[in-house]
Amino acid sequence: LFKDTENVDFKFEKYKGDLFVMADKDQLNRVFNNLIKNSIQSFTRSEGNLIEINVVKKESSILIEVIDNGSGIRTSERDKIFTPNFTTKTSGMGLGLAMVKNIVESSNGRIWFESEEGRGTKFIISYPST
């Protein structure tokens, strides 16, 4: 879906082996599409934009990381980032990350992020490994 996005490079690091989570495939597609779209929208330069997606097994969890080197999330906005109707953009309704959190948590997962202004953001999703 995003392979032809201009001025953005993608790096995908897949776990070598089979991993399974109990979640709806279509809902997971919504989660990843939203996170990748948000990453793309966070870029402010015309080159050097990178989105990394890593899938890692750690103990009894599967971690999926979506990492960008975009503008990052302002400290003052971090506690609102998953709140419905909160947005930092001029368009949109601010429902994307609230929806993402709801989908992840309704399938027994967890989502959080790490961010540094001017350097980028990493969203981490954790699911129990089945």
Side-chain angles (χ1 to χ4, degrees), residues 78-112:
R78 292 181 186 176
D79 61 336
K80 303 174 211 158
I81 209 74
F82 292 113
T83 303
N85 302 314
F86 174 77
T87 185
T88 60
K89 301 170 192 158
T90 55
S91 65
M93 299 177 63
L95 298 175
L97 287 174
M99 175 200 67
V100 163
K101 183 174 184 183
N102 183 274
I103 290 170
V104 169
E105 290 180 348
S106 69
S107 55
N108 209 20
R110 244 181 83 218
I111 184 168
W112 67 97

